[in-house]
Amino acid sequence: MVLFRFLAVGLALAFLLNMAVFTITGDARWRARAMLSLKWGVVLGLCFFGLLVLKRAAVFV
């Protein structure tokens, strides 16, 4: 769980920094990098909540 939190904070920070650089420079490459980190952040969140659901479902089996 600590690893998930570390990765989530890292991806959120990467998204914010990339968007800040995009707003300053206007270069589209930084926006693409920000969207990539956002995409992986969503995937990480879905995996995290999926694991929580599987943990709860294992009790009923």
Side-chain angles (χ1 to χ4, degrees):
M1 293 296 178
V2 174
L3 180 64
F4 276 112
R5 285 186 193 149
F6 179 72
L7 287 173
V9 168
L11 284 170
L13 186 62
F15 172 74
L16 290 175
L17 289 175
N18 284 327
M19 282 306 287
V21 172
F22 167 69
T23 345
I24 292 170
T25 64
D27 192 1
R29 286 182 292 176
W30 291 103
R31 183 181 179 278
R33 290 177 186 158
M35 291 301 116
L36 186 67
S37 63
L38 180 66
K39 177 183 79 168
W40 284 110
V42 169
V43 168
L44 180 72
L46 289 174
C47 289
F48 177 74
F49 287 114
L51 284 176
L52 286 179
V53 168
L54 284 176
K55 222 180 201 183
R56 289 284 196 161
V59 175
F60 297 117
V61 172

